[in-house]
Amino acid sequence: MIRKATESDAEAFCNIIRTSIIELCGPDHQGNKEILEDWLENKTVENCKAWIINENSNSFIAEKNGNIVGVCHIGHNGHLFLCYVLPSVKGLGIGGALLSVAERSVVNLDSKLIFLESTVTARGFYKHHGYIEKNKDNNDLNFSKLILP
């Protein structure tokens, strides 16, 4: 089940992000402690709470058997800030379901273009869901997707 995140979800929201980065994003941080610490620095409960209550964005959580297993956060301007799942549910379609709900949540706000900066780990995920990689000549992992109502 996917639902809008609430302020009371902030701790679980943060834990999902941190766990996913640590355990699933090895190709990005390559076990480098400095890179990992920099990446996790702003992934705090306080920041997650601020993201969830921000009136210019939408945050969603996915639940399985009563447990929060995935999170997604998108700006009303179409900027997908994050989409993470726990390692135990990777490949089960939960990330794709979160992504779809996030996309639909902003298309009615006149955001027809969804854009994001991906990790190396998630590159295939976004391509699989119809996102087009931009700037292939440099090492930026920028993707976009046109969404029609």
Side-chain angles (χ1 to χ4, degrees):
M1 175 180 97
I2 296 178
R3 65 172 173 82
K4 268 197 102 134
T6 64
E7 209 172 326
S8 64
D9 296 318
E11 185 174 351
F13 197 96
C14 181
N15 288 337
I16 301 279
I17 295 169
R18 294 179 68 87
T19 299
S20 183
I21 290 170
I22 292 167
E23 295 184 24
L24 294 178
C25 296
D28 295 280
H29 59 70
Q30 299 177 349
N32 182 309
K33 197 171 186 174
E34 275 185 38
I35 292 172
L36 194 52
E37 286 175 2
D38 286 347
W39 195 354
L40 295 173
E41 184 176 10
N42 72 335
K43 310 312 187 277
T44 65
V45 173
E46 295 78 24
N47 283 344
C48 288
K49 189 178 292 187
W51 299 335
I52 290 168
I53 64 173
N54 184 319
E55 294 179 4
N56 295 311
S57 62
N58 299 328
S59 296
F60 299 96
I61 62 164
E63 294 178 311
K64 183 177 180 196
N65 300 325
N67 297 310
I68 298 174
V69 295
V71 299
C72 195
H73 181 71
I74 190 167
H76 290 174
N77 64 351
H79 183 182
L80 183 70
F81 293 102
L82 58 89
C83 188
Y84 289 103
V85 297
L86 286 177
S88 61
V89 299
K90 181 183 176 218
L92 300 181
I94 292 170
L98 278 164
L99 185 59
S100 179
V101 167
E103 291 170 352
R104 286 193 315 262
S105 79
V106 297
V107 75
N108 295 329
L109 300 171
D110 289 331
S111 290
K112 305 292 187 253
L113 185 70
I114 310 296
F115 59 97
L116 62 103
E117 184 177 333
S118 179
T119 60
V120 170
T121 304
R123 173 187 260 155
F125 170 78
Y126 290 114
K127 284 184 175 183
H128 176 75
H129 288 283
Y131 283 77
I132 297 168
E133 191 169 358
K134 305 291 182 186
N135 303 324
K136 291 182 183 180
D137 294 339
N138 58 30
N139 288 327
D140 292 340
L141 295 173
N142 297 307
F143 287 81
S144 64
K145 179 180 178 181
L146 187 62
I147 305 291
L148 301 174

